């Protein structure tokens, strides 16, 4: 296991940021999800060694998060969400500079900076001043500086924010290549669920400082519930309440599509029985593949 | 923009090491970035004018007979003793040039990092806060020492070369130590002073203005207060006057103001402590992930 935490707890004053989080993350790309204030940033801070947990323990690549913070930061590549660069530098100097700060010899860092910049598609622009870079180029640059020291794990914070569709596709393809072909584990924190869905085999969902769900995406989709999408004619209120009394979660979209998250043990015929009992006509009924969005909504309880 | 993945990713087969001086790349890069500014090069070159003038003074002092008609009785100014060195170190122009050089070269050291969010990149590396601050401070150390300790020691060396004997050194064996001590004091003070101001704003121009304004206005304030109260103690309000007091004390010369030198040392130390406290508060690695 590359990341392993046990009973991790942390609070800012009276506010509980993490409460007994236990998880194990293996190889490949892992998505880190959660609404604002769920504890994602606190978890990343603890994993990078900036915060010492109040309780619990953890290891990143076998390094203790309490004792071996410098080793962890040497082995991890971090791509922040916000634009960040050093004014007055070109991309080669910038990338090699952070390679050196990671512990690479100067000449090796310079050589490696060229390679990495070519890899992320900034080869032609590597001698341009960073102040003149576009948003997409800065995003690639952040990825380059995270990769320059050849980390074992990459922490990517909203890697596709501020990108146009083409740029987003290219960055996602790059991350996919890194996580699948280069044996670098990726921990991807993003609000764009589609990104996580397209990249990550497994996901960690935090909610209110607690671990809401963790595991392979397919397993998570299968274990918790079945999702049915339906349209009805008639008064939906009693129908909805009837389904909720059966343990289902019911959401309605703007175009009046009703999504029913039904516990795995329940029988789908119960939906029809409820419709019959409450006098509504079923106009459309389909068993849907649960998307990450559905999973997120189901687990976290937000639409 | 070029297409993505012009070349494939390959692993690096080297080994990451633990640096003995992790702050050194920060210092080296800070110095290099300063010299990339065109205007700075002129300012930096110009800041050696006082050293050149004092060097010429040294040369003339050893050949007073040759320059007698030229000096017209002002040769008493060229009496080379520790006061000559004190005058070099504490003259208004050198202190102002140091402030000028730092205004150009060092005002953005932290301000630029705050503006461009680069703190999070630094602290996601195996770098501690003290490494970061030491790296930034060392940029200032470099520029202040190159304007103080280096010319000071060279002036001493040239004095011996021009005189052709070690007599001057034997007369004042403590002088190199005074040069180093006062250079160190200036270096440490200006490092804290400039970094403190640099951490207060994300705008380098504001910081540059602050660096000048506080230095100059503290002296103007001293002038106004002295005009009103006619008391030498008001010299303590001036950064420049405090530095000159400390300089005179370290070189064993008469103090320019009738105030105990210890007060000036305390004020300079107080500014450093205040700066350190603010820097410690402003530079927080825990804010790396926002």
């Amino acid at each position: 296991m590359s990341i392993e935490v046990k009973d991790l707890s942390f609070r800012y004053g009276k506010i509980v940021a993490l409460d007994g989080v236990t998880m194990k993350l293996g190889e490949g790309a892992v998505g880190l999800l959660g609404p604002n204030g769920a504890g994602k940033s606190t978890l990343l801070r603890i994993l990078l060694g900036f915060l010492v947990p109040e309780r619990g323990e953890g290891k990143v690549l076998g390094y203790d998060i309490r004792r071996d913070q410098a080793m962890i930061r040497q082995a991890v590549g971090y791509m922040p969400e916000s634009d960040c660069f050093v004014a007055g530098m070109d991309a080669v100097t910038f990338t090699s500079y952070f390679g050196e700060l990671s512990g690479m010899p100067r000449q090796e860092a310079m050589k490696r900076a060229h390679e990495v910049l070519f890899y992320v598609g900034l080869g032609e622009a590597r001698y341009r001043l960073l102040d003149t870079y576009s948003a997409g180029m800065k995003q690639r640059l952040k990825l380059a500086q995270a990769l320059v020291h050849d980390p074992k794990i990459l922490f990517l914070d909203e890697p596709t924010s501020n990108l146009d569709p083409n740029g987003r596709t290219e960055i996602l393809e790059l991350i996919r290549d890194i996580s699948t072909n280069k044996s670098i584990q990726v921990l991807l924190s993003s609000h764009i669920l589609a990104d996580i869905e397209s990249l990550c085999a497994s996901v960690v969902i935090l909610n209110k400082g607690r671990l809401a769900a963790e595991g392979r995406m397919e397993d998570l989709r299968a274990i918790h519930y079945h999702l049915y999408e339906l349209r009805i004619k008639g008064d939906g209120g009693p129908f909805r309440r009837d389904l909720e009394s059966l343990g289902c979660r019911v959401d309605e979209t703007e175009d009046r599509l009703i999504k029913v998250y039904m516990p795995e043990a329940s029988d789908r015929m119960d939906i029809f029985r409820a419709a019959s009992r409450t006098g509504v006509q079923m106009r459309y009924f389909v068993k849907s593949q649960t998307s990450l969005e559905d999973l997120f909504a189901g687990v976290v309880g937000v639409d | 923009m070029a297409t993505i993945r012009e070349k494939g990713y390959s692993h690096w087969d080297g080994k990451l090491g633990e640096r003995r001086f992790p702050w050194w790349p920060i210092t080296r890069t800070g110095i290099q970035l300063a010299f990339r500014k065109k205007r700075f090069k002129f300012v930096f070159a110009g800041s050696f004018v006082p050293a050149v003038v004092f060097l010429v003074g040294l040369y003339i002092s050893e050949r007073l007979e040759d320059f007698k008609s030229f000096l017209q009785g002002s040769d008493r100014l060229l009496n080379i003793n520790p006061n000559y060195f004190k005058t070099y170190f504490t003259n208004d122009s050198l202190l102002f040039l140091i402030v000028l050089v730092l205004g150009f070269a060092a005002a953005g050291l932290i301000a630029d990092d705050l503006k461009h969010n680069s703190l999070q990149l630094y602290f996601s590396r195996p770098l501690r806060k003290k490494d970061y601050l030491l790296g930034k401070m060392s940029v200032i150390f470099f520029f202040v020492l190159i304007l103080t300790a280096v010319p000071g020691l060279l002036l001493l060396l040239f004095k011996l070369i021009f005189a052709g004997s070690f007599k001057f050194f034997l007369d004042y064996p403590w002088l190199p130590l005074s040069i180093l001590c006062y250079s160190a004091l200036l270096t440490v003070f200006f490092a804290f002073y400039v970094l403190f101001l640099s951490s207060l704003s994300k705008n380098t121009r504001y910081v540059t203005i602050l660096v000048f304004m506080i230095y100059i206005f503290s002296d103007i304030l001293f002038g106004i207060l002295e005009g009103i109260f006619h008391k030498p103690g008001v010299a303590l309000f001036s950064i420049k006057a405090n530095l000159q007091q400390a300089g005179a004390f370290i070189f064993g010369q008469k103090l320019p103001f009738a105030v105990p030198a210890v007060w000036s040392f305390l004020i300079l130390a107080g500014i450093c402590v205040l700066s350190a406290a603010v820097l410690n508060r402003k530079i927080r690695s825990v804010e790396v992930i926002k």
Side-chain angles (χ1 to χ4, degrees):
Chain A
M1 290 295 160
S2 51
I3 299 177
E4 195 173 350
V5 296
K6 194 175 169 188
D7 193 27
L8 213 56
S9 300
F10 188 86
R11 65 176 75 208
Y12 298 101
K14 288 181 180 173
I15 301 164
V16 178
L18 282 182
D19 187 10
V21 172
T22 300
M23 61 180 192
K24 288 179 180 177
L25 306 181
E27 301 301 311
V30 179
L32 181 60
L33 278 173
N36 290 336
K40 300 189 299 291
S41 296
T42 305
L43 180 62
L44 285 183
R45 283 174 181 174
I46 291 174
L47 291 179
L48 276 171
F50 297 126
L51 293 175
V52 178
E54 191 180 285
R55 200 179 68 227
E57 56 197 53
K59 285 186 174 177
V60 177
L61 293 166
Y63 297 118
D64 191 294
I65 56 171
R66 289 175 189 271
R67 288 196 313 266
D68 309 321
Q69 292 141 341
M71 298 305 292
I72 291 174
R73 279 180 233 166
Q74 204 167 49
V76 169
Y78 173 59
M79 177 183 176
E81 179 185 359
S82 52
D83 273 352
C84 40
F85 62 96
V86 179
M89 275 191 187
D90 57 47
V92 174
T93 315
F94 175 84
T95 310
S96 67
Y97 177 47
F98 284 102
E100 253 192 283
L101 289 176
S102 297
M104 297 177 85
R106 191 179 176 192
Q107 289 194 332
E108 290 285 318
M110 182 58 82
K111 191 178 153 202
R112 174 85 181 154
H114 285 273
E115 289 174 13
V116 172
L117 287 168
F118 270 105
Y119 178 64
V120 300
L122 289 175
E124 297 293 324
R126 65 193 192 280
Y127 290 114
R128 254 174 66 182
L129 275 183
L130 301 182
D131 311 58
T132 66
Y133 270 29
S134 67
M137 293 168 90
K138 283 177 185 162
Q139 207 71 358
R140 292 174 189 214
L141 181 75
K142 284 191 292 180
L143 187 57
Q145 65 78 30
L147 283 171
V148 66
H149 58 296
D150 194 24
K152 306 281 184 297
I153 302 183
L154 267 182
F155 288 176
L156 307 178
D157 201 355
E158 305 286 351
T160 57
S161 61
N162 304 324
L163 289 180
D164 59 33
N166 280 344
R168 182 169 161 247
T169 308
E170 287 176 348
I171 286 282
L172 289 178
E173 191 192 326
L174 201 59
I175 297 170
R176 187 175 294 112
D177 183 58
I178 293 165
S179 65
T180 53
N181 302 328
K182 311 301 177 192
S183 63
I184 296 176
Q185 195 190 340
V186 173
L187 183 59
L188 176 67
S189 170
S190 177
H191 282 102
I192 305 173
L193 301 184
D195 287 357
I196 288 188
E197 196 157 25
S198 71
L199 283 176
C200 304
S202 51
V203 67
V204 171
I205 302 179
L206 294 177
N207 188 31
K208 294 173 186 168
R210 288 173 175 272
L211 188 69
E214 181 217 351
R216 289 178 56 79
M217 206 100 75
E218 295 159 12
D219 299 341
L220 287 173
R221 280 175 183 150
I223 289 170
H224 289 83
Y225 46 79
H226 295 300
L227 172 64
Y228 298 99
E229 291 178 353
L230 42 127
R231 293 184 191 278
I232 57 166
K233 187 178 181 188
D235 186 3
F239 174 63
R240 183 183 181 128
R241 282 191 291 277
D242 201 336
L243 286 176
E244 283 171 348
S245 72
L246 295 171
C248 300
R249 177 182 156 79
V250 183
D251 286 335
E252 190 169 349
T253 62
E254 283 178 357
D255 61 345
R256 307 203 66 185
L257 179 75
I258 296 172
K259 289 184 170 186
V260 179
Y261 301 88
M262 183 166 240
E264 202 179 29
S266 302
D267 179 4
R268 66 181 164 190
M269 288 306 290
D270 287 342
I271 298 175
F272 291 95
R273 290 186 194 108
S276 171
R277 276 196 298 275
T278 54
V280 299
Q281 287 179 15
M282 191 75 71
R283 293 291 181 93
Y284 173 82
F285 182 91
V286 66
K287 184 177 189 308
S288 175
Q289 169 77 12
T290 50
S291 66
L292 183 58
E293 202 171 334
D294 298 321
L295 174 66
F296 187 73
V299 170
V300 175
V302 291
D303 192 3
Chain B
M1 196 188 297
T3 52
I4 212 124
R5 274 191 285 154
E6 295 162 26
K7 287 183 180 176
Y9 183 88
S10 55
H11 287 289
W12 179 59
D13 52 8
K15 193 171 183 295
L16 294 172
E18 195 176 330
R19 283 183 178 278
R20 195 169 168 197
F21 304 114
W23 47 268
W24 170 240
I26 299 176
T27 304
R28 194 190 61 231
T29 307
I31 295 168
Q32 284 171 345
L33 286 178
F35 281 107
R36 285 189 190 175
K37 297 171 189 165
K38 275 184 187 168
R39 276 182 296 179
F40 174 72
K41 288 176 189 168
F42 290 108
V43 171
F44 186 66
S47 62
F48 287 100
V49 169
V52 173
V53 169
F54 275 74
L55 180 65
V56 171
L58 273 181
Y59 180 76
I60 293 173
S61 73
E62 293 297 330
R63 283 156 183 77
L64 284 176
E65 286 304 313
D66 299 344
F67 293 93
K68 204 163 192 176
S69 59
F70 176 72
L71 292 169
Q72 294 176 339
S74 56
D75 52 338
R76 61 185 172 77
L77 296 172
L78 295 176
N79 183 18
I80 307 300
N81 54 27
N83 190 49
Y84 185 83
F85 285 83
K86 184 222 84 176
T87 308
Y88 169 71
F89 277 97
T90 60
N91 73 78
D92 291 1
S93 57
L94 179 71
L95 293 175
F96 182 75
L97 283 167
I98 291 174
V99 173
L100 192 67
V101 164
L102 295 181
F104 276 95
L109 280 175
I110 293 179
D112 280 340
D113 287 346
L114 294 174
K115 182 179 178 183
H116 300 297
N117 299 313
S118 33
L119 279 184
Q120 45 191 336
L121 296 179
Y122 283 104
F123 290 121
S124 61
R125 312 280 154 178
L127 209 65
R128 292 161 298 182
K129 184 167 27 179
K130 67 177 182 183
D131 296 325
Y132 172 80
L133 287 174
L134 194 58
K136 298 289 181 182
M137 278 189 172
S138 300
V139 177
I140 299 173
F141 292 171
F142 171 80
F143 286 116
V144 180
L145 287 175
I146 215 163
L147 291 176
T148 54
V150 174
L153 292 173
L154 282 176
L155 285 175
L156 184 61
L157 182 69
F158 276 107
K159 167 65 187 165
L160 301 180
I161 291 171
F162 292 152
S165 77
F166 281 96
K167 185 175 181 303
F168 182 79
F169 180 72
L170 295 173
D171 288 345
Y172 308 106
W174 46 266
L175 192 56
L177 195 64
S178 295
I179 291 171
L180 290 175
C181 278
Y182 189 59
S183 300
L185 181 137
L186 287 178
T187 305
V188 171
F189 171 74
F190 278 115
F192 277 109
Y193 171 68
V194 175
L195 281 191
F196 158 62
L197 296 177
S198 186
S199 71
L200 294 184
S201 170
K202 292 181 178 180
N203 190 318
T204 304
R205 283 185 187 175
Y206 290 156
V207 176
T208 306
I209 292 169
L210 273 178
V211 168
F212 283 110
M213 296 292 257
I214 293 177
Y215 179 79
I216 292 167
F217 274 97
S218 70
D219 206 40
I220 292 174
L221 180 67
F222 157 51
I224 293 170
L225 293 175
E226 196 189 29
I228 297 169
F229 299 108
H230 304 290
K231 288 189 175 172
V234 293
L236 297 173
F237 283 99
S238 164
I239 291 175
K240 188 180 78 184
N242 283 307
L243 290 172
Q244 289 172 333
Q245 281 279 90
F249 179 83
I250 289 173
F251 281 94
Q253 302 301 306
K254 182 176 179 288
L255 298 178
F257 308 100
V259 187
V262 67
W263 287 107
S264 291
F265 280 108
L266 283 175
I267 285 176
L268 296 174
I271 293 173
C272 291
V273 170
L274 173 75
S275 304
V278 172
L279 283 169
N280 189 43
R281 197 175 166 79
K282 296 284 279 185
I283 310 298
R284 295 175 63 189
S285 59
V286 74
E287 284 169 8
V288 164
I289 300 166
K290 294 183 177 174

